[in-house]
Amino acid sequence: MGIFTKAKETVPCTVEVSHRFESLHAHVRFDNGAVVYPGDEVLVHGAPILAAFGDVIVERRNATITRATRLERWWTRATGDFGFMELCEFSFSEELLA
């Protein structure tokens, strides 16, 4: 991996989407043990997975990992804490909007 070049790798993965009262999540696990580092991008191939309420769907797919350049990785680490603060600007509420 160079300072300005991006590497891509295609990896097998397992996607789990849960739409249940006790758990609302979507997880991707790389079946070959690949690791994603700061600044890397992941694109899971295939149609969107839409789970109805009460369902958990597990599918095997392929994903493309685009590795960040050294400069992008450094920048992501340097500014990552600021991005986290954006997550603090919303909350979940039981109120319904009219």
Side-chain angles (χ1 to χ4, degrees), residues 70-83:
R70 290 182 185 173
L71 183 60
E72 289 171 326
R73 186 153 298 155
W74 173 84
W75 181 252
T76 302
R77 285 185 178 140
T79 62
D81 291 337
F82 301 119

Side-chain angles (χ1 to χ4, degrees), residues 21-73:
F21 177 77
E22 58 274 358
S23 180
L24 177 64
H25 68 261
H27 295 287
V28 175
R29 181 180 61 249
F30 300 115
D31 298 336
N32 68 347
V35 178
V36 177
Y37 297 102
D40 291 349
E41 298 176 16
V42 177
L43 174 64
V44 177
H45 303 282
I49 299 172
L50 303 173
F53 183 76
D55 286 348
V56 176
I57 299 174
V58 178
E59 291 188 7
R60 303 268 326 249
R61 301 256 180 122
N62 284 323
T64 300
I65 302 173
T66 303
R67 300 292 182 184
T69 64
R70 290 182 185 173
L71 183 60
E72 289 171 326
R73 186 153 298 155

